[in-house]
Amino acid sequence: MLSKKAKYALKAMLMLAEQPEGLLIQAPDIADRQKVPGKFLEAILLDLKRRGLVHSQRGKQGGYCLAKPADRITFGEIIRIMDGPLAPIPCASMTSYRRCADCRDEAACAIRQVMLRTRDAMASVLDHVSLADVSAGTHRDLVSTALAG
Amino acid sequence: MLSKKAKYALKAMLMLAEQPEGLLIQAPDIADRQKVPGKFLEAILLDLKRRGLVHSQRGKQGGYCLAKPADRITFGEIIRIMDGPLAPIPCASMTSYRRCADCRDEAACAIRQVMLRTRDAMASVLDHVSLADVSAGTHRDLVSTALAG
DNA sequence: CTTTATTCCTACTAAACCAATAGAGATAAT
DNA sequence: ATTATCTCTATTGGTTTAGTAGGAATAAAG
């Protein structure tokens, strides 16, 4: 399950992706528009900033904007920052593998094999859909995106 | 993330799938063999029984066995029972849809569209891999399974 | 009919995590 | 100096997870 935090992060990033390049948007604007709790959103944006996905400026007339072009930020990237690995089980994660303590023979583990395939299936969507692919400003056809990936 | 409960359920079901048809296995045997806490496993098996995936018999010489052929029980079925819907977000679930309170226009929601595709990707694996597909007794080739599905 | 092995069921608990809030500090524009 | 904004730390209430405890019901075996 996607946490609220991840969902709010996606909403915020999509809103930033719709803005003209370089324009700064304030946290309260995003909170109002996207109906997310203001202080909670602040924490989320701070997190996204620390991870290099958004740029921020303090003080009057400050705000947030994307730190990279929208076509170079994927859903998977955002979700991993907020919720951790995509894989349903740590032993099937590419980005943060961890062995199962209770596993007799990992190479033969049926659960792991199926979860690897599940992870791949999820990643084949989430790591290939960028903000630009779906944002209102620069909408591209989803089917062609899928075929290209 | 798959909960421990779901993981243990999969382990138990896979072990049952490996047994000769109709042979009853006791909960402590499964717990020992699969290294899962005994009492926790009891609760899980009870749940699986109530949902019609396993058959149980009480009393001496009792135990558990699959209630259906192993090729008619999928990973998705088990995971949904233990952890709920596959979809990362309720508004993208086929089996237990729920609208987002904070959504302005569901039809246009980019997050929902991507999560629908993610759900489909997950389901294309989990709803098409059965216990028989991966269990030691009746192993089938995963690639051919994938192509067939 | 008693003993024993098993599933069934309810209740409880400790720890972790989630969703959010509070309040003060730092910084930049006006 | 004032004000608007991001930055940071701490705290909180609620929920979920991962179990544990203990007994009731049932069925087989002696």
Side-chain angles (χ1 to χ4, degrees):
Chain A
M1 261 287 277
L2 210 64
S3 68
K4 300 254 183 188
K5 207 167 146 192
K7 183 174 144 188
Y8 296 163
L10 290 172
K11 283 185 157 197
M13 292 296 281
L14 284 165
M15 184 163 162
L16 292 179
E18 282 170 17
Q19 309 305 318
E21 184 166 332
L23 178 64
L24 295 173
I25 306 291
Q26 287 78 45
D29 284 5
I30 304 178
D32 283 0
R33 187 87 171 69
Q34 304 297 331
K35 296 200 240 177
V36 320
K39 278 303 223 176
F40 196 19
L41 180 65
E42 273 188 15
I44 290 166
L45 287 167
L46 187 53
D47 219 341
L48 290 168
K49 183 223 154 186
R50 289 196 178 122
R51 302 297 297 269
L53 260 57
V54 308
H55 167 77
S56 67
Q57 189 183 323
R58 300 222 269 202
K60 212 165 186 176
Q61 311 286 22
Y64 302 89
C65 63
L66 295 186
K68 311 192 273 188
D71 64 2
R72 295 204 29 241
I73 302 176
T74 64
F75 275 59
E77 205 173 346
I78 298 166
I79 291 171
R80 284 198 191 86
I81 287 173
M82 307 312 292
D83 284 355
L86 297 185
I89 196 168
C91 71
S93 172
M94 294 288 120
T95 58
S96 45
Y97 167 86
R98 270 200 57 197
R99 191 172 175 287
C100 292
D102 57 336
C103 195
R104 299 178 170 285
D105 177 6
E106 187 171 270
C109 176
I111 296 173
R112 177 161 187 261
Q113 284 171 39
V114 176
M115 293 308 146
L116 274 169
R117 290 179 56 201
T118 305
R119 188 221 81 94
D120 289 348
M122 296 173 74
S124 76
V125 176
L126 296 173
D127 286 340
H128 292 97
V129 176
S130 73
L131 295 177
D133 288 330
V134 298
S135 85
T138 55
H139 209 312
R140 297 180 197 176
D141 185 66
L142 275 181
V143 176
S144 60
T145 305
L147 292 175
Chain B
M1 262 285 277
L2 209 64
S3 69
K4 300 255 182 190
K5 207 168 147 193
K7 182 174 143 188
Y8 296 162
L10 290 171
K11 283 185 158 200
M13 292 297 280
L14 284 166
M15 182 163 163
L16 292 179
E18 283 170 16
Q19 309 305 317
E21 184 169 331
L23 178 64
L24 295 173
I25 307 292
Q26 287 80 45
D29 285 5
I30 304 178
D32 283 0
R33 187 88 171 69
Q34 305 296 332
K35 297 201 240 174
V36 320
K39 278 303 224 176
F40 196 20
L41 180 65
E42 270 188 21
I44 291 166
L45 287 166
L46 188 54
D47 219 341
L48 290 169
K49 183 223 154 186
R50 288 197 179 120
R51 302 295 296 268
L53 261 55
V54 308
H55 167 76
S56 67
Q57 189 182 324
R58 300 224 269 203
K60 214 166 186 175
Q61 311 286 24
Y64 301 89
C65 62
L66 296 185
K68 311 192 272 189
D71 64 0
R72 295 206 26 242
I73 303 177
T74 64
F75 274 59
E77 204 172 346
I78 298 166
I79 291 171
R80 283 198 191 86
I81 287 173
M82 307 313 293
D83 285 354
L86 297 186
I89 196 168
C91 70
S93 171
M94 294 288 119
T95 58
S96 44
Y97 167 85
R98 272 199 55 198
R99 192 172 174 287
C100 292
D102 57 336
C103 195
R104 298 178 171 285
D105 177 5
E106 187 170 272
C109 176
I111 296 174
R112 176 161 186 260
Q113 281 171 40
V114 175
M115 293 309 146
L116 274 169
R117 288 179 57 199
T118 306
R119 189 222 80 96
D120 288 347
M122 297 175 74
S124 77
V125 176
L126 296 173
D127 286 341
H128 291 97
V129 176
S130 73
L131 295 177
D133 289 330
V134 297
S135 84
T138 55
H139 209 314
R140 296 183 199 174
D141 185 68
L142 277 182
V143 176
S144 60
T145 306
L147 293 175

